[in-house]
Amino acid sequence: MRVLGLLFLLCSLTEAGVSVSQRRKVVQSVNIRRNASSDSTPLQVGNGNFAFGADVTGLQTFKPYGILSSWCWHNFSLPTTINQTSVDDYTGVQWWTHGRLVTYAQPNPAQDDISTWLIKNPKRVNIGNVGFTFGRDNVIEADLKQKTQLLDLWSGKLSSSFVFNGSAVEVETSVDPDSDTVGISVESSLLKSGLGLFFDFPFPDNNKFNAPFVGVFNATSEHSTSLERISAHSATIKHSLGQTTYFTTITWEGGGTVSGPAAGTHRYFFTGSSSRLQLNVAFSPSPPPKVRGLLKVARASREWWESFWAAGAFIDLSAVKAENATELQRRIIVSQYLLAVNSASNNPPQESGLVNNGWYGKFHLEMNIWNSLPFARWGHFPLLWRSLPDMYSRFLQSSLDRARFQGYEGARWSKMTDPTGRSAPGEINSLLIWQQPHPMYFAEIEYRSFPNATTLSRWDKILTVTADFMASFAFFNTTTGVYDLGPPIYPVSENTNPNVTLNPTFELAYWRFGLDVATRWKTRQGLSVPTTWTTVRDKLAPLPVVDGTYAVYEGIRGMWTDNATTNDHPAMAGIYGLLPPPASGPPLDEAVLRKTAGKIKELWALEESYGWDFSMLAMNSLRLGDVEQAVEYLLHPIFQFDDAGYPVGGSRVPTPYFPNAASLLLATAMMAGGWDGAEGKHFPKGWDVEVEGFLPAM
Ligand SMILES: *[C@@H]1O[C@H](CO)[C@@H](O)[C@H](O)[C@H]1NC(C)=O
Ligand SMILES: *[C@@H]1O[C@H](CO)[C@@H](O)[C@H](O)[C@H]1NC(C)=O
Ligand SMILES: *[C@@H]1O[C@H](CO)[C@@H](O)[C@H](O)[C@H]1NC(C)=O
Ligand SMILES: *[C@@H]1O[C@H](CO)[C@@H](O)[C@H](O)[C@H]1NC(C)=O
Ligand SMILES: *[C@@H]1O[C@H](CO)[C@@H](O)[C@H](O)[C@H]1NC(C)=O
Ligand SMILES: *[C@@H]1O[C@H](CO)[C@@H](O)[C@H](O)[C@H]1NC(C)=O
Ligand SMILES: *[C@@H]1O[C@H](CO)[C@@H](O)[C@H](O)[C@H]1NC(C)=O
Ligand SMILES: *[C@@H]1O[C@H](CO)[C@@H](O)[C@H](O)[C@H]1NC(C)=O
Ligand SMILES: *[C@@H]1O[C@H](CO)[C@@H](O)[C@H](O)[C@H]1NC(C)=O
Ligand SMILES: *[C@@H]1O[C@H](CO)[C@@H](O)[C@H](O)[C@H]1NC(C)=O
C-alpha cells in the first residue's frame, strides 16, 4: 500500500491537474436554472447537516419544501395499550436459527402497538417554512411574472427574481457552512408596500414516506409555538411538539418587526421598512445566545463552496464532444453538490437526504457504503469524518448488546436505524447482513489515503468487534465441512425466502473481504490475529455456481429461468466491481463472471431495480474491461436524474434517492483512477478526459 500511495503521489505531481479556474468553468457550466417551481424537487442550499429547499421564489412561498436537519427528530406519544407502554416492553420475535431460538427485532403480532410505534418513531422533523407574503391573500405562482432562478453550484447561492404587480423582486438564498442558518437577501420597492415574509411550523405525520413535502400545517392544536424574545433586530420563536422543542431565531438589518401567530395557525410575519432586506433565520435545539450583528452567510457559503470545489478530486469531460459525456459531467458535478448538501452529516445519510423523508427519515446502515464512501473516493475525507467512525462508536453498545442477546460474539450492526442506534422492527431489517463488513471497507479505503498509526488505531476496536460477530455468525456445517451464512437471512436482494436463503454470493464474498481486512489490520499493527477469523475465512462455503454463473444464493430454484430470481439487486455483479477480487481463498472464475454479467444484461428486470444497481453493474463492466458497457449502464434510460440533478427514485421509491447519485460517483471514480492492477483512466475510446486526485479503487 505504501508503495502504491507513493506511486500515486508521483503521478499526481506529474499529472497536469485541473486548475481552479477550469474547475469553476466546469462546475458553473451545469448550474441549475428554473423559471417555475417543480412539483417534485426543490432547489437546495445547505451544509450536510441542514438544508433549505426552495421553490421558484427562492423561499417556500408556494411549495412547502422542507427545511431538514440532522438533529431535529420527534416521537409521537407511546401507546397506552397494557404491557406496551414502553420500549422496554417490546420483545421482538423468536425464529429457529440453526437449531436454537434467536430473538429478532421484528414486529410482534402480540405487541402490534409498540412494534408499530418503534418503526415509526422517532421521525425526522421539517423544522419550518419561510415564504413571501404579498400584502393580499390568494396570490398564486402564476401571478408572478418573469420568474428566473439560478443555483450557482460554485458558491452555493440561489438567486431568484420575479415581478409582482409591476415591481421586480430579487432574492438571494444561501446557508451557513457552520450553523443551521439560512441567509436571505431581498431587494424590491415592494418591501415598503406589502411584501414581507412568513414563517410557519408544520406538525409531523405518521407516513413512511413524506414526499415531496414533509409535515402538515393544519394540525395546529397538536403543537404550540410562541414568540419568546423580540428586539429591534431579532426575534426568537419557540416550537414545542411533545418532547421536542427547538428555536427559530430571525435576525435582520435595518427596520422591521416580527408578529404573530395569525389566529388558528403557527404562522408568523416579518414586515420591513426599506427596499433592501438582509435577514437570517437560524434554527437550534436550545435557546440561542443573544445575537451580535448579522452573520454574513452568503460570504461564508461562497468561501466554503469554493474551497470544496478547489479541493478534492475532479473529472473534466468538457473536451469530449459527445452528448453522453456532457450528461455524465452534469451528473458528476451536481451529484457532488447534492451529496455535500444532503449527506455530509453527523449521522449516516438518509436515502432522501434532507429533501424529504423516506422511511420516516431514518437511515439504513447497509446503504451507507453508497451514501458515504464517495466523500472518501473523491478526496473529501473531512465530510466523511463527520459521521465515521464516530457513528460506529455511538452505536457500539447497542450492537454489542444485540449480538450477545442473540448468542453471538462481537457487534451486530443494525439496518434501519435512528440516532439512538435502535433497530426499527422489521423482518428484512433484522435479517439483512451485508451492512456488517462495511466498517472494513471504510477503514481500508481510509488507510489507502492515510496509511498511518492514527488510522489503524481509530478503526481497530470497531473492526475487531465487527469481525468477531462475522466469525461467530457463520455456522459450521458438519455435513459439508464449511461455514455457511444463513438461513435465516436476507441477501442484498431483499426478495428471497429468508428461511431457505443460504450462502448468497455477495455476502460470502463480502464476509471473506471483511475478514481479510480485519486480519490485515491486526498484522499491520503487529498484533495477533484471532484464529476464529482465519478459520472461518478459510473454510467459508464456496460461491454458489449455477449453469456457469454466480447464483443469488446456494440452492436457489429457477435461477435465470424463473423471473422471480432476476429481480431486485443483481448483487452477484458486486463481487467484482464494488468489491475487489478476493485476497484469500480460491480466485474468481473469469468465465463465470462474464457469463453472469451477460445473463444479467439479458434477463434482469432492470425496470424494477433501484438506481444504484446501474452503478454496481457499471463497476462490474469496468473490471471486465467493457468501458462502453459501463457508460451505457450509467446512462441507462431508467437511471434518471431530473433537471436539477436529483436522482429519480424510479418504480420503487420517491425522488430523490441519493444512493443513485452516490453510486454514480463511485463508478466514475473508478473510471478516473482505475483499480489495483489497472490504475489510471478508463474512459471510452477517443474521450479526452482530464482527471485529478483519484486513488485507484481496491
Ligand atoms: C422556462 O424554462 C423552460 C425550460 O428551461 C424553457 O423552455 C422556457 O423557454 C423558459 N421560459 C421562460 C419564459 O424563460
Ligand atoms: C424517542 O423515544 C425513544 C424511546 O424512548 C428515545 O430513546 C428517543 O431519544 C426519543 N427521541 C426523541 C427525539 O424524543
Ligand atoms: C401484562 O401486565 C400485567 C400486569 O403488569 C401482567 O399481570 C400480565 O401478565 C401481563 N401480560 C402479558 C401478556 O405480558
Ligand atoms: C420463516 O420462518 C418463520 C419462523 O421461523 C416464519 O414465521 C416465517 O413465516 C417463515 N417465512 C417464510 C417466507 O416461510
Ligand atoms: C399594485 O400596485 C399599485 C400601484 O402601482 C397599487 O395601487 C396596488 O395596490 C398594488 N396592488 C397590489 C395587489 O399590491
Ligand atoms: C389537514 O389537511 C389534510 C389534507 O388536506 C386533511 O386530509 C386533514 O384531514 C386535515 N387535518 C385537519 C386536522 O384539519
Ligand atoms: C494519519 O491519518 C489520519 C486519518 O486517519 C489523518 O487525519 C492524519 O493527518 C494522518 N497523519 C499523518 C501524520 O499523516
Ligand atoms: C449443511 O449444508 C447442506 C448443503 O448446503 C444443507 O442442505 C444443510 O441444511 C446444512 N446443514 C445445516 C445443519 O444447516
Ligand atoms: C413474472 O412473469 C409473469 C408472467 O409473465 C408475470 O405475471 C409476473 O408479474 C412476473 N413476475 C415478476 C416478479 O416479474
Ligand atoms: C454515446 O452516445 C452515442 C450517441 O448517442 C452512442 O452512439 C454511443 O454508443 C455512446 N457511447 C457510450 C460509450 O455510451
Side-chain angles (χ1 to χ4, degrees):
M1 274 330 107
R2 267 177 200 291
V3 175
L4 251 182
L6 194 62
L7 265 178
F8 169 71
L9 266 180
L10 290 174
C11 290
S12 6
L13 289 178
T14 53
E15 211 176 50
V18 187
S19 67
V20 172
S21 63
Q22 178 61 13
R23 286 175 178 230
R24 178 177 184 145
K25 210 169 123 192
V26 172
V27 169
Q28 293 189 323
S29 75
V30 299
N31 276 349
I32 319 296
R33 289 179 168 76
R34 275 183 180 171
N35 52 29
S37 299
S38 155
D39 288 331
S40 53
T41 57
L43 293 185
Q44 279 181 302
V45 284
N47 63 28
N49 282 304
F50 171 82
F52 183 93
D55 68 12
V56 75
T57 64
L59 303 177
Q60 292 126 358
T61 307
F62 301 114
K63 302 273 180 192
Y65 284 116
I67 306 178
L68 273 70
S69 71
S70 53
W71 51 266
C72 198
W73 297 75
H74 169 259
N75 283 333
F76 284 98
S77 40
L78 280 153
T80 50
T81 326
I82 187 152
N83 298 336
Q84 298 190 44
T85 57
S86 139
V87 297
D88 298 328
D89 290 338
Y90 169 73
T91 59
V93 299
Q94 296 191 314
W95 278 24
W96 287 103
T97 304
H98 293 298
R100 63 192 182 89
L101 280 170
V102 169
T103 302
Y104 295 97
Q106 296 180 11
N108 184 335
Q111 297 185 310
D112 209 25
D113 293 343
I114 190 67
S115 301
T116 304
W117 189 90
L118 279 164
I119 294 169
K120 297 185 169 192
N121 293 281
K123 180 166 209 191
R124 200 189 296 264
V125 173
N126 174 12
I127 51 183
N129 258 192
V130 184
F132 283 110
T133 56
F134 296 92
R136 69 171 164 97
D137 291 340
N138 304 324
V139 174
I140 57 170
E141 187 167 319
D143 294 332
L144 272 42
K145 307 299 175 199
Q146 297 173 42
K147 299 181 282 278
T148 61
Q149 210 170 18
L150 170 70
L151 177 57
D152 180 34
L153 305 174
W154 187 260
S155 60
K157 182 174 75 181
L158 177 59
S159 305
S160 315
S161 65
F162 54 87
V163 169
F164 179 67
N165 194 22
S167 298
V169 180
E170 309 274 346
V171 193
E172 285 182 4
T173 321
S174 36
V175 157
D176 184 39
D178 302 314
S179 68
D180 305 319
T181 306
V182 55
I184 300 165
S185 76
V186 185
E187 271 196 62
S188 175
S189 60
L190 291 176
L191 283 167
K192 295 197 279 190
S193 60
L195 186 71
L197 299 180
F198 73 80
F199 307 90
D200 209 339
F201 301 91
F203 189 68
D205 69 27
N206 241 325
N207 298 330
K208 179 173 176 179
F209 292 97
N210 302 124
F213 309 124
V214 183
V216 294
F217 289 86
N218 60 355
T220 312
S221 59
E222 304 279 333
H223 55 135
S224 66
T225 55
S226 55
L227 201 46
E228 287 289 290
R229 212 154 70 182
I230 176 134
S231 69
H233 299 288
S234 80
T236 298
I237 299 162
K238 179 180 176 181
H239 186 196
S240 305
L241 340 74
Q243 292 165 340
T244 300
T245 299
Y246 65 89
F247 299 84
T248 303
T249 299
I250 304 153
T251 320
W252 60 89
E253 259 172 20
T257 182
V258 168
S259 61
T265 73
H266 293 297
R267 199 169 259 240
Y268 293 78
F269 302 95
F270 173 86
T271 324
S273 54
S274 80
S275 60
R276 185 185 281 248
L277 171 64
Q278 287 285 340
L279 177 140
N280 289 346
V281 190
F283 298 88
S284 56
S286 44
K290 239 191 159 54
V291 191
R292 267 183 262 105
L294 197 72
L295 178 69
K296 303 285 184 233
V297 172
R299 192 175 66 195
S301 165
R302 191 186 65 233
E303 287 170 2
W304 191 89
W305 280 104
E306 282 182 1
S307 66
F308 171 84
W309 291 115
F314 205 85
I315 298 179
D316 179 0
L317 289 157
S318 59
V320 188
K321 302 284 168 261
E323 232 173 74
N324 41 20
T326 310
E327 175 59 10
L328 206 52
Q329 181 82 76
R330 178 182 86 95
R331 294 179 182 198
I332 287 171
I333 297 295
V334 187
S335 293
Q336 288 184 77
Y337 177 83
L338 289 175
L339 291 190
V341 166
N342 288 285
S343 301
S345 95
N346 299 335
N347 288 321
Q350 213 307 306
E351 282 73 76
S352 50
L354 301 172
V355 177
N356 53 49
N357 275 351
W359 293 272
Y360 312 98
K362 295 185 178 188
F363 30 82
H364 297 97
L365 296 199
E366 89 282 14
M367 293 317 295
N368 206 24
I369 199 75
W370 297 118
N371 287 332
S372 291
L373 197 64
F375 295 124
R377 298 284 290 119
W378 284 73
H380 291 294
F381 275 95
L383 299 186
L384 182 81
W385 290 333
R386 288 179 179 178
S387 66
L388 291 175
D390 168 65
M391 174 274 283
Y392 286 112
S393 305
R394 276 196 285 144
F395 298 168
L396 178 59
Q397 192 55 54
S398 59
S399 301
L400 289 168
D401 292 347
R402 184 177 299 112
R404 196 184 55 233
F405 192 55
Q406 296 185 328
Y408 299 112
E409 304 291 318
R412 180 172 198 163
W413 307 110
S414 56
K415 170 186 156 44
M416 179 170 158
T417 308
D418 64 68
T420 66
R422 195 173 277 117
S423 175
E427 187 173 303
I428 292 172
N429 295 348
S430 65
L431 295 173
L432 200 78
I433 60 168
W434 68 288
Q435 71 273 31
Q436 304 306 334
H438 287 354
M440 281 77 167
Y441 204 122
F442 285 120
E444 189 66 15
I445 286 290
E446 184 170 317
Y447 189 76
R448 289 161 72 90
S449 287
F450 303 98
N452 69 35
T454 310
T455 308
L456 289 172
S457 70
R458 70 202 215 116
W459 282 96
D460 185 63
K461 178 158 188 203
I462 300 296
L463 294 204
T464 302
V465 294
T466 303
D468 285 346
F469 169 75
M470 288 168 57
S472 87
F473 180 80
F475 174 78
F476 188 67
N477 186 322
T478 49
T479 314
T480 53
V482 297
Y483 282 93
D484 287 337
L485 297 181
I489 47 168
Y490 272 101
V492 175
S493 51
E494 300 173 352
N495 62 349
T496 68
N497 177 346
N499 298 330
V500 299
T501 302
L502 170 72
N503 293 326
T505 294
F506 182 82
E507 281 72 5
L508 279 177
Y510 207 14
W511 238 245
R512 175 177 298 286
F513 169 87
L515 292 172
D516 274 334
V517 171
T519 300
R520 217 178 292 150
W521 212 260
K522 292 294 180 196
T523 311
R524 282 173 184 149
Q525 296 173 91
L527 301 172
S528 63
V529 178
T531 50
T532 51
W533 301 357
T534 44
T535 305
V536 170
R537 179 196 66 184
D538 294 339
K539 282 198 181 139
L540 269 178
L543 303 182
V545 173
V546 169
D547 290 342
T549 64
Y550 289 115
V552 174
Y553 64 86
E554 181 182 326
I556 187 172
R557 299 240 179 102
M559 189 71 232
W560 309 117
T561 56
D562 178 346
N563 64 359
T565 69
T566 48
N567 242 292
D568 212 284
H569 305 294
M572 305 87 77
I575 68 169
Y576 194 58
L578 177 61
L579 302 188
S584 68
L588 299 177
D589 183 326
E590 194 180 322
V592 176
L593 287 166
R594 285 191 186 284
K595 191 167 176 197
T596 309
K599 284 281 192 190
I600 292 171
K601 183 172 173 183
E602 183 191 344
L603 294 171
W604 211 266
L606 287 176
E607 66 284 359
E608 295 286 316
S609 78
Y610 287 85
W612 53 266
D613 295 335
F614 294 99
S615 309
M616 185 168 64
L617 293 170
M619 291 161 91
N620 181 231
S621 304
L622 286 172
R623 287 203 204 250
L624 289 171
D626 195 344
V627 180
E628 273 71 22
Q629 178 63 63
V631 172
E632 211 172 284
Y633 275 131
L634 292 180
L635 296 172
H636 194 285
I638 291 163
F639 190 40
Q640 287 292 329
F641 291 70
D642 80 0
D643 70 303
Y646 287 96
V648 173
S651 63
R652 305 285 292 269
V653 281
T655 297
Y657 184 68
F658 282 116
N660 298 0
S663 66
L664 177 105
L665 292 181
L666 293 187
T668 48
M670 268 181 88
M671 293 173 73
W675 50 95
D676 290 350
E679 294 80 3
K681 292 186 269 191
H682 292 73
F683 289 97
K685 264 199 204 67
W687 284 28
D688 172 17
V689 187
E690 292 290 343
V691 305
E692 184 178 6
F694 290 96
L695 276 189
M698 284 189 259

